[in-house]
């Protein structure tokens, strides 16, 4: 008998006690239906304050397919994902949210494409059930801006729900930056990509951990970690304004020489000063964003700390 390939399912979980039971049942069913493969269910407990870890441990005692990484505190989903990628052992890895917004039933289809030779099979949302129109519009605009500012193709309406071949996982492990943006990294690594469409379900239970402040931060992080286009924009804009100002100075000098000067023009002067002051502060802010990133990266801190790791397939 040939050795079965292993699919690792990576589940970042932060305060997910309410959904774990549903999730686990559906994963077990999936594994039962997809018996040509071995499965590893790797939970990353991202410093949950509820019973999440306890529940995962209780599953792990009964089920040797379960592995878990318990992080030393809450690090955020991005970091939880790289912690998971560092610990998965499968030939392919599927990243999936704990809250069942990503239907596990899609995984066999992903595996099928993977077997056909695709390295990164990602799920694209057809609909966004249970999300407000404001969230839809903001995310739509965000994708547009991000795509305009870079030459790497960005996958639209795509989250982190995807199957990654081992070589993608190995590639992603090389990305050790501390301010992470997985979406950008998935695009950056390239390899053979395949899109499949699906309907995103509303959360099965519990609450989203995102709010608009967090999403705004994520958006700014996304742009600044992906592209230096904002710096270029401020350079170009600065150039244009300086050029216009230069023309205006020539005009002023010529006019003064021909007609003499008077002291009028206070409002227009204020307007120009305030406008330029605003632009300067904005540009400083943009530079600051990048300096901040340099500062954070040069510290070279570890991305996360592991409190406990239990491998799949062996008794603890
Ligand atoms: N998550 C995490 N750490 C965090 C926040 C979220 O590991 O600090 C996990 C969470 O448990 C879930 C996934 O990331 O499995 C997506 O989180 P959520 O459903 O809150 O985000 P949304 O679906 O609203 O974008
Ligand atoms: Mg969710």
């Amino acid at each position: 008998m040939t050795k079965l390939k292993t699919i690792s399912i990576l589940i970042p979980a932060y305060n997910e006690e309410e959904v774990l039971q549903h999730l686990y049942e559906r994963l077990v069913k999936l594994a039962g239906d997809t018996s040509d493969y071995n499965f590893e269910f790797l939970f990353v407990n991202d410093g949950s304050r509820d019973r999440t870890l306890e529940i995962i441990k209780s599953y792990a005692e009964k089920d040797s397919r379960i592995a878990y990484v318990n992080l030393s505190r809450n690090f955020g989903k991005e970091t939880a994902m790289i912690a998971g990628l560092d610990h998965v052992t499968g030939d392919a890895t599927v990243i999936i949210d704990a809250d069942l917004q990503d239907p596990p039933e899609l995984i066999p289809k992903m595996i099928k494409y993977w077997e056909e030779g695709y390295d990164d099979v990602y799920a694209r949302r057809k609909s966004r059930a249970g999300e407000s129109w404001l969230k839809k519009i903001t995310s739509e605009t965000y994708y547009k801006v991000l795509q305009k500012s870079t030459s790497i193709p960005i996958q639209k309406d795509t989250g982190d729900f995807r199957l990654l071949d081992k070589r993608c996982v190995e590639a992603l492990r090389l990305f050790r930056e501390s301010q992470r943006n997985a979406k950008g990294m998935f695009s950056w690594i390239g390899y053979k990509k395949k899109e499949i469409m699906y309907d995103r379900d509303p959360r099965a239970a519990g609450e989203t951990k995102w709010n608009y402040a967090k999403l705004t931060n994520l958006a700014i992080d996304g742009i600044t970690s992906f592209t230096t286009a904002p710096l270029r924009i401020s350079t170009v804009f600065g150039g244009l304004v300086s050029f216009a100002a230069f023309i205006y100075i020539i005009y002023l000098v010529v006019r003064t020489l021909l007609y003499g000067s008077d002291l009028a023009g206070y409002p227009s002067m204020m307007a120009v000063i305030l406008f330029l002051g605003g632009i300067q502060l904005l540009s400083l802010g943009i530079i600051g964003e990048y300096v901040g990133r340099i500062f954070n990266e040069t510290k070279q801190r570890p991305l996360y700390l592991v409190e406990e790791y239990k491998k799949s397939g062996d008794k603890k």
Side-chain angles (χ1 to χ4, degrees):
M1 207 183 103
T2 51
K3 199 172 161 284
L4 295 183
K5 290 181 187 166
T6 304
I7 309 286
S8 296
I9 311 282
L10 194 180
I11 311 137
Y14 174 55
N15 295 346
E16 299 286 7
E17 58 179 7
E18 287 164 77
V19 287
L20 282 179
Q21 183 60 33
H22 304 273
L23 173 74
Y24 180 58
E25 278 163 20
R26 278 170 73 176
L27 288 179
V28 168
K29 182 163 181 310
L30 165 85
D33 296 346
T34 323
S35 52
D36 322 347
Y37 296 91
N38 285 326
F39 279 87
E40 170 191 56
F41 306 129
L42 177 83
F43 289 88
V44 180
N45 176 43
D46 187 16
S48 301
R49 269 180 285 260
D50 61 1
R51 295 182 48 247
T52 300
L53 179 66
E54 223 174 289
I55 298 172
I56 296 171
K57 279 186 175 170
S58 75
Y59 295 156
E61 262 162 35
K62 291 176 291 184
D63 189 338
S64 66
R65 290 170 298 186
I66 303 248
Y68 59 85
V69 178
N70 184 30
L71 299 182
S72 63
R73 63 169 171 84
N74 177 253
F75 283 92
K77 188 188 176 189
E78 293 284 337
T79 306
M81 278 196 291
I82 184 64
L85 289 174
D86 284 342
H87 288 89
V88 290
T89 57
D91 300 293
T93 298
V94 177
I95 305 175
I96 191 170
D97 280 4
D99 58 6
L100 288 171
Q101 282 193 288
D102 313 322
E105 289 69 33
L106 221 60
I107 294 175
K109 205 169 160 191
M110 292 178 164
I111 297 176
K112 197 185 112 233
Y113 284 117
W114 173 59
E115 289 289 4
E116 283 175 17
Y118 291 101
D119 298 300
D120 176 359
V121 186
Y122 60 92
R124 177 170 173 185
R125 297 185 278 265
K126 249 188 292 182
S127 64
R128 296 171 146 242
E131 290 183 2
S132 68
W133 59 271
L134 190 61
K135 191 164 176 190
K136 285 178 201 167
I137 289 184
T138 41
S139 95
E140 177 80 8
T141 324
Y142 175 64
Y143 278 116
K144 266 193 200 140
V145 171
L146 199 57
Q147 182 62 83
K148 277 260 157 60
S149 64
T150 168
S151 54
I152 304 167
I154 311 272
Q155 294 117 36
K156 229 182 129 211
D157 286 335
T158 307
D160 303 317
F161 182 31
R162 58 180 66 224
L163 179 146
L164 298 163
D165 183 73
K166 203 172 179 169
R167 61 173 170 168
C168 296
V169 173
E170 272 158 16
L172 290 167
R173 284 178 186 157
L174 301 175
F175 287 63
R176 304 317 287 186
E177 60 228 61
S178 56
Q179 278 174 301
R180 308 182 66 81
N181 179 260
K183 208 164 282 174
M185 294 174 191
F186 296 139
S187 302
W188 194 97
I189 57 170
Y191 291 123
K192 269 183 87 179
K193 295 196 188 301
K194 175 77 189 171
E195 171 179 294
I196 52 181
M197 304 291 282
Y198 80 116
D199 288 305
R200 187 160 165 92
D201 300 324
R203 227 172 199 285
E207 265 168 31
T208 175
K209 278 94 207 168
W210 293 108
N211 52 39
Y212 269 98
K214 273 197 185 175
L215 279 176
T216 310
N217 280 332
L218 189 79
I220 293 179
D221 279 351
I223 291 182
T224 48
S225 73
F226 206 81
T227 164
T228 49
L231 291 174
R232 178 64 53 83
I233 292 171
S234 52
T235 309
V236 169
F237 198 79
L240 287 178
V241 171
S242 309
F243 182 72
F246 181 71
I247 303 288
Y248 188 58
I249 289 170
I250 293 178
Y251 162 75
L252 283 184
V253 168
V254 171
R255 196 185 67 170
T256 312
L257 286 178
L258 292 181
Y259 305 108
S261 96
D262 49 33
L263 264 178
Y266 176 76
S268 57
M269 200 170 77
M270 275 313 275
V272 168
I273 288 176
L274 289 177
F275 176 69
L276 284 185
I279 297 292
Q280 279 167 3
L281 284 180
L282 184 72
S283 309
L284 267 182
I286 293 174
I287 296 172
E289 283 290 330
Y290 288 94
V291 174
R293 299 189 78 84
I294 297 170
F295 172 65
N296 279 328
E297 299 304 338
T298 48
K299 282 193 278 190
Q300 299 235 340
R301 293 198 180 165
L303 294 178
Y304 57 86
L305 291 176
V306 175
E307 159 105 34
E308 184 186 0
Y309 169 51
K310 187 202 156 281
K311 274 205 266 198
S312 60
D314 58 15
K315 280 255 174 309
K316 210 175 67 153

